[in-house]
Amino acid sequence: MGIFDKGVQKTKKSFFERISRAIAGKSKVDDDTLDAIEEALIASDMGVDTTLKIIDNLEDHVQRDKYMSFDELLDMLHEEVGNLLDISGGGEVGNTVRPFDFSKKPYVIMVVGVNGVGKTTTIGKLASSLKEQGKKVVIGAADTFRAAAVDQLVIWAERAGVDIIKQEMGSDPASVAYDTVSSAVAKGADVVLIDTAGRLHNRVDLMNELTKIRNVMRKVIPDAPHEVLLVLDGSTGQNAFQQAREFSKATDVTALAVTKLDGSAKGGVVIGIVDQLRIPIKFVGIGEGIDDLKIFDKKEFVNSLFSREDIEKK
């Protein structure tokens, strides 16, 4: 089983069941089949704009070949979805994204996202993975508004065996970020992970807070942060899309980590967000384990979504 098979299982099952019902007893693709595909894509939370883009392309092919088979249609759909994930930039190497540019030291990652999406856990898993790769990591607990967030980060830091910088509850988040990057430089750290407050408050307030954190870090490291990683809960579907849109307006999001991908049939939101916002996915969470944060391989993801070996076609 591929690493993404578990993550897309519910999405795939829902999608193929809808398509199978639509094509039962038919020998060719017709308008009803295309309508069913459109419904299935929207049900997977791919989003209306992205879905219509795919359907328009499929209609062009169907008009040229009236007797396209079900397998041919799925192959074409497979290709269309793969093309939507194929965006330029993001440090891609083939189909896999190169997560970090370790030529910059310390490499500063500011992690953003609303409460409850798995942001703190993602930071902990990233820290653990980087430590295993031999990197010296420092975490900054700049979400000073939630004691639980700081406490959870402390536990993760201890588990991963990395340093953490924190201050009193209610402290200025920018002050924590400044202390963290200063400590990282002094210790010769390779990577800095800065947690930020997970509140989708007024966009102006959010922008001001993240800008302040960015500015104070640049007093120590002029080009920090090198990455702004937005963590999204894939099981929330279109809510994740709206969060991505809001955070993109508030700050320069450079990459995505999508958690809880195995939790629902809404995995299509991954494709819609990349297509509409042109932000690469670097990590996906496909379980609760410490090793269940995976580097995103778009080819393997799409192959898992469209594999037919465990799907009963009618």
Side-chain angles (χ1 to χ4, degrees):
M1 179 179 282
I3 63 172
F4 293 115
D5 288 348
K6 182 176 72 169
V8 300
Q9 193 168 24
K10 290 184 180 179
T11 300
K12 179 169 67 173
K13 185 173 185 293
S14 172
F15 178 79
F16 275 94
E17 282 179 352
R18 288 172 182 271
I19 301 301
S20 296
R21 285 197 299 268
I23 60 103
K26 294 182 179 179
S27 60
K28 67 173 185 174
V29 174
D30 58 16
D31 287 343
D32 288 341
T33 311
L34 290 173
D35 287 344
I37 292 174
E38 181 176 329
E39 179 184 326
L41 292 174
I42 289 176
S44 75
D45 267 319
M46 203 169 290
V48 174
D49 291 341
T50 298
T51 294
L52 293 180
K53 185 184 296 186
I54 293 172
I55 294 299
D56 285 346
N57 289 340
L58 288 179
E59 284 179 337
D60 290 341
H61 287 284
V62 171
Q63 286 173 0
R64 290 198 298 268
D65 186 355
K66 300 289 185 183
Y67 292 91
M68 185 184 299
S69 70
F70 179 61
D71 280 340
E72 288 172 330
L73 183 68
L74 287 180
D75 286 343
M76 194 169 299
L77 194 56
H78 185 159
E79 182 180 355
E80 288 291 335
V81 170
N83 289 339
L84 292 178
L85 289 174
D86 189 17
I87 63 175
S88 59
E92 293 185 8
V93 182
N95 292 296
T96 305
V97 172
R98 181 191 294 117
F100 305 119
D101 177 8
F102 289 122
S103 66
K104 300 172 181 176
K105 182 177 177 178
Y107 189 87
V108 181
I109 304 165
M110 186 165 73
V111 186
V112 300
V114 301
N115 294 331
V117 297
K119 179 166 56 74
T120 307
T121 302
T122 297
I123 292 171
K125 290 179 179 180
L126 266 179
S128 178
S129 174
L130 291 165
K131 177 68 183 297
E132 286 182 2
Q133 295 170 42
K135 303 299 180 185
K136 189 169 186 177
V137 181
V138 178
I139 297 175
D143 183 356
T144 60
F145 298 96
R146 286 196 312 136
V150 177
D151 292 344
Q152 190 180 3
L153 267 185
V154 169
I155 292 170
W156 273 108
E158 291 174 351
R159 187 182 302 175
V162 304
D163 291 338
I164 183 168
I165 305 298
K166 60 175 184 169
Q167 292 183 8
E168 301 265 337
M169 287 304 303
S171 299
D172 182 3
S175 175
V176 178
Y178 180 86
D179 284 354
T180 304
V181 292
S182 298
S183 175
V185 169
K187 295 175 180 177
D190 299 296
V191 184
V192 177
L193 298 168
I194 301 288
D195 189 17
T196 60
R199 300 169 298 160
L200 246 186
H201 38 230
N202 178 283
R203 190 189 304 152
V204 174
D205 290 342
L206 176 66
M207 188 180 300
N208 289 343
E209 185 172 293
L210 296 178
T211 298
K212 185 177 179 182
I213 292 173
R214 184 189 300 262
N215 288 343
V216 299
M217 289 194 296
R218 286 180 175 172
K219 293 178 180 179
V220 182
I221 303 170
D223 56 349
H226 305 107
E227 190 90 84
V228 178
L229 181 68
L230 171 62
V231 181
L232 299 169
D233 179 346
S235 70
T236 62
Q238 287 301 295
N239 282 340
F241 186 89
Q242 292 303 322
Q243 289 167 24
R245 190 184 297 278
E246 289 301 307
F247 273 95
S248 294
K249 291 174 181 176
T251 191
D252 181 22
V253 175
T254 59
L256 304 173
V258 183
T259 68
K260 309 178 189 179
L261 197 58
D262 56 322
S264 77
K266 298 180 178 182
V269 72
V270 167
I271 299 152
I273 289 172
V274 173
D275 173 51
Q276 294 297 312
L277 300 181
R278 315 306 289 172
I279 302 171
I281 298 171
K282 290 203 172 183
F283 299 95
V284 291
I286 54 171
E288 298 299 323
I290 194 168
D291 296 324
D292 287 335
L293 186 71
K294 304 295 185 183
I295 296 174
F296 185 66
D297 182 312
K298 61 192 177 190
K299 183 177 181 180
E300 187 168 353
F301 175 81
V302 178
N303 286 346
S304 294
L305 187 60
F306 285 95
S307 65
R308 271 99 88 183
E309 57 192 37
D310 57 346
I311 298 295
E312 178 182 345
K313 289 180 290 183
K314 299 177 181 179

